[in-house]
Amino acid sequence: MAQAWRCSGLRWSAGGPVLVWDGGRRSALTWGKRVAFGAAEGGVRTCVGARGHACPTRAAVSARSTGARCEECARLDRAHSVAADTIADDPRPYHVYLAWFGPGMVKVGITAEERGSARLLEQGAVCFSWLGVGPLMAARRTEELLRAALRVPDRIPYAEKRVVRAVLPEAAADRAVEVAELHARAVALPAWPESLVREPLRVVDHVEVFGLAGLPGAVGEVGELVAGGVVSGELVAAAGPDLHLATGGGVVVLDTRLMSGWELVPAGGAELTVPVREFKEESGVQDGLF
């Protein structure tokens, strides 16, 4: 029987996207690499636990969940989460940023200054600029200010991000326009918290990092993994948690968060056999499992 692997997520390093496996092994992903794996026959997707601790019941979880946690572990995981707004006394400085994912898709968010741009890579931001830096609560107030005064959302669904990646403006200057306009409006707001230091506009573009230049439009996305099912394709781009894979039926997007909780095995040259949700319009000796 082939050795089984459990994926703990996609990470972004200086060299690009890397899949991390339980036990610490890492698989670097490069454009043109064949990604092929299957969920073990007879397998069941189980909860990945919370905050470094295994799920005490190894509860079965939905194959369509991107969190791969049971209700109790999901609650524990968010109990001390900045993203869930459950921490108010974090002493670290925080950046407020504007991130752009495609035409009309700009969001505001915060991230710990020490993390640099990692959060933007993890979200699949095509380009971004810092707005300011300061204490957590000041960053939170600024985020709320932009949502209320400028109607800038703090979330954009991944489903919306995926379908526009192949039809982005070709020039970096054109991709930066909406971020620049919102940055100017944001720093001019009169209610800006005094403890948050404004930062100048410096738009960072990730098109080359993600491999989005000339990206073929995707025909759909993997809806879920299933026991005995196979994911197989050539990596043509990656953004956030998503891998864009060229298959015999066109480019299909795999959200790598769907891999967590499964026992995965090598699939060789097999074709993609897991369920795929079609987009309404075309959008644009192993070191580890791969």
Side-chain angles (χ1 to χ4, degrees), residues 184-207:
R185 294 172 62 195
V187 297
L189 290 171
W192 191 276
E194 293 183 4
S195 57
L196 196 87
V197 179
R198 292 173 173 83
E199 296 207 40
L201 175 71
R202 292 193 184 95
V203 179
V204 177
D205 193 280
H206 288 151
V207 160

Side-chain angles (χ1 to χ4, degrees), residues 11 30 45 72 74 122 147 175 200 204 255 259 269 276 283:
R11 304 287 184 269
T30 55
R45 193 185 193 199
E72 180 63 17
E122 292 166 358
R147 287 208 298 258
R175 295 192 291 269
V204 177
D255 185 336
M259 297 168 64
V276 173
S283 64

Side-chain angles (χ1 to χ4, degrees), residues 92-109:
R92 297 176 297 172
Y94 275 77
H95 265 132
V96 183
Y97 61 81
L98 288 171
W100 185 86
F101 301 90
M105 297 182 188
V106 184
K107 63 155 281 187
V108 60

Side-chain angles (χ1 to χ4, degrees), residues 2 26 127 153 172 174 182 204:
R26 302 163 74 87
C127 64
D174 293 334
L182 271 173
V204 177

Side-chain angles (χ1 to χ4, degrees), residues 233-276:
E234 179 184 308
L235 183 65
V236 293
D242 295 340
L243 303 182
H244 289 244
L245 303 174
T247 73
V251 173
V252 173
V253 184
L254 167 68
D255 185 336
T256 54
R257 295 174 298 178
L258 295 175
M259 297 168 64
S260 299
W262 286 100
E263 288 196 340
L264 304 174
V265 296
E271 295 297 318
L272 185 145
T273 62
V274 296
V276 173

